[in-house]
Amino acid sequence: MRLWSLHPKYLDARGLSALWREALLAQAVLAGRTRGYRRHPQLARFRATRNPRGAIAAYLRAVAEEGARRGYRFHAERIRPGRARMRLPVTRGQLDWELAHLRRKLWGRDRAAYRRLPAARLAAHPLFDVRPGPVEPWEERR
């Protein structure tokens, strides 16, 4: 499961579709509707909020908006009700790590998308507020 902290506009078609599916899975996990992935480290930042279901719903809405902007047919009605007027923190180190990870993925599967990535630092997903710091402790680094 990869719940990108980067803005979904940087993902290629395959990556955005995968993000949609994986965020829906995260929504099911946070709602207690599945037995798998309950201990997935990337869910820690959502669980740390007062309203984990609202936070993942807000995350999903931004992904759905990016899909709609591209003409994809993500079924936004699958996003469970819930509003979260919050911004979750994410470190600059995490965004930089994810950018390097995304570059590796795109180099292997979509060179055109790789070339479209800006050279400078990328924007975060709209749910996140960027702060200085290293890679997040929940990130599984190989």
Side-chain angles (χ1 to χ4, degrees):
M1 180 185 300
R2 165 66 47 197
L3 299 174
W4 295 94
S5 306
L6 293 172
H7 197 290
K9 68 183 176 183
Y10 302 119
L11 300 176
D12 61 334
R14 191 167 151 192
L16 187 63
S17 296
L19 176 60
W20 174 250
R21 289 188 312 271
E22 291 167 5
L24 285 172
L25 173 60
Q27 176 180 249
V29 171
L30 292 170
R33 294 191 337 255
T34 183
R35 292 174 59 175
Y37 293 94
R38 288 184 296 183
R39 292 188 182 94
H40 197 282
Q42 288 199 13
L43 297 178
R45 58 184 165 179
F46 294 96
R47 284 195 175 106
T49 68
R50 289 185 189 177
N51 183 359
R53 292 180 190 181
I56 195 67
Y59 184 92
L60 272 161
R61 276 192 286 282
V63 176
E65 288 169 9
E66 178 60 24
R69 188 186 71 73
R70 295 188 197 187
Y72 301 162
R73 294 187 182 153
F74 293 160
H75 296 278
E77 69 276 2
R78 295 185 67 189
I79 301 171
R80 296 185 53 95
R83 292 278 178 211
R85 295 193 187 278
M86 65 178 83
R87 301 271 314 237
L88 304 184
V90 67
T91 62
R92 176 51 62 188
Q94 179 64 29
L95 289 178
D96 291 345
W97 188 91
E98 288 186 18
L99 172 57
H101 184 61
L102 180 59
R103 286 187 194 284
R104 286 189 301 274
K105 285 186 160 296
L106 293 179
W107 181 256
R109 73 175 181 226
D110 189 338
R111 296 277 169 95
Y114 174 87
R115 286 188 288 276
R116 284 192 302 268
L117 282 177
R121 289 182 165 170
L122 304 185
H125 181 289
L127 181 64
F128 297 111
D129 181 34
V130 183
R131 299 179 180 170
V135 176
E136 298 284 357
W138 45 257
E139 183 66 69
E140 290 186 17
R141 290 177 272 180
R142 291 176 185 86

